Amino acid sequence: MQMQQVEIPMITISKEDYLKAIAEAEAEGNPVISATLAHWLAVTRPAVTAAVKRLTKDGMVVVKNDGQIQLTSRGRQVAERTIFRHHLIERMLAEIFGMPWYEVHEEAERLEHAVSPAFEKKLVEKLGDKDTCPHGNSLALRSPAERRKKGLRLLSEAEAGVPYRIASLYERDRKLLDFFEREGIRPGTRLTVQTRNYDGTVSLVVEGKNIRLGVPAAEKIWVMKS
Ligand SMILES: [Zn+2]
Ligand SMILES: [Zn+2]
């Protein structure tokens, strides 16, 4: 029997999503105010206000006088747990089920909330403790500053004529990932910047193929000298 495909309404944004978004936005060096979260989670400002009120009552966040939202140690624990589970689910989908790297993020966004401590333990046993997810993003290196310290740089800042390897890609934009995949841009891909063009684009040779990338896309890719 074949299941009929029906459109299922989007799952509501959970408290865990808010806490994770705060931790991630913080790691990227953004001051976290309600507008940051509204943008990050694609929800309305009143929705953020209501959620932050609940999280404050639960002792998960504090809101400073200037509007900055900060995690309490309990809030941070939940955020870190959710980030870790997201990472495990992405790896499970890619490494065990062979799901393509550009598809695993959204699936993990849904499944991460359903992982029990016992299942998490099983996943760790099965997958081992590799630090990078299928997008090349590392649990240890979250902020741009930490990445730069390890020798990574954004493709938009890469030197011309030097061979690089893609270390990681921004994973929260599915359309962008589909585009990257079509162009052969994925973790591990080798490339060289040929020229930086007057219109702001960069001309690249990606595995022998010439392509041009605009700055908004080039800023979503971390590379390493290879
Ligand atoms: Zn992800
Ligand atoms: Zn990932």
Side-chain angles (χ1 to χ4, degrees), residues 52 72 149:
V52 168
T72 62
K149 237 186 276 166

Side-chain angles (χ1 to χ4, degrees), residues 188-199:
T189 297
R190 288 172 195 283
L191 53 81
T192 314
V193 174
Q194 281 198 306
T195 52
R196 299 173 168 286
N197 307 310
Y198 193 68
D199 63 1

Side-chain angles (χ1 to χ4, degrees), residues 20 24 83 86-87 90 101 104-109 112 133-135 137 169-172 177:
K20 192 172 73 151
E24 286 176 340
I83 290 169
H86 180 91
H87 177 95
E90 283 193 348
W101 69 278
V104 297
H105 174 79
E106 284 111 324
E107 204 66 44
E109 286 287 80
E112 66 194 19
C133 75
H135 308 91
N137 289 312
L169 299 118
Y170 178 83
E171 56 185 77
R172 279 189 299 275
L177 293 186

Side-chain angles (χ1 to χ4, degrees), residues 67-226:
Q68 270 212 48
I69 303 162
Q70 289 178 345
L71 295 169
T72 62
S73 65
R74 236 182 94 207
R76 190 169 304 279
Q77 263 178 26
V78 176
E80 291 301 323
R81 189 93 264 144
T82 311
I83 290 169
F84 183 60
R85 288 175 176 174
H86 180 91
H87 177 95
L88 283 173
I89 294 290
E90 283 193 348
R91 289 190 55 210
M92 173 190 86
L93 293 168
E95 295 172 31
I96 300 176
F97 295 105
M99 189 180 258
W101 69 278
Y102 52 91
E103 283 180 7
V104 297
H105 174 79
E106 284 111 324
E107 204 66 44
E109 286 287 80
R110 288 188 285 268
L111 294 174
E112 66 194 19
H113 308 292
V115 177
S116 68
F119 184 41
E120 179 184 319
K121 205 167 147 239
K122 284 278 168 218
L123 286 173
V124 173
E125 277 169 25
K126 182 99 185 162
L127 296 164
D129 56 6
K130 189 167 101 183
D131 183 56
T132 50
C133 75
H135 308 91
N137 289 312
S138 151
L139 282 171
L141 300 180
R142 277 201 236 134
S143 74
E146 285 165 324
R147 289 172 187 226
R148 287 179 204 284
K149 237 186 276 166
K150 290 280 174 198
L152 277 81
R153 57 167 73 190
L154 291 171
L155 178 58
S156 51
E157 301 161 358
E159 292 167 52
V162 177
Y164 286 95
R165 187 176 53 78
I166 295 178
S168 70
L169 299 118
Y170 178 83
E171 56 185 77
R172 279 189 299 275
D173 184 342
R174 177 57 195 279
K175 282 195 180 126
L176 182 68
L177 293 186
D178 287 345
F179 165 73
F180 283 156
E181 172 65 16
R182 276 198 306 276
E183 298 293 339
I185 293 173
R186 36 184 101 90
T189 297
R190 288 172 195 283
L191 53 81
T192 314
V193 174
Q194 281 198 306
T195 52
R196 299 173 168 286
N197 307 310
Y198 193 68
D199 63 1
T201 59
V202 281
S203 294
L204 305 169
V205 182
V206 178
E207 312 272 3
K209 201 177 81 179
N210 292 302
I211 65 166
R212 242 177 203 243
L213 221 54
V215 172
E219 279 175 341
K220 299 285 194 282
I221 302 170
W222 286 93
V223 294
M224 202 161 186
K225 283 188 181 163
S226 72

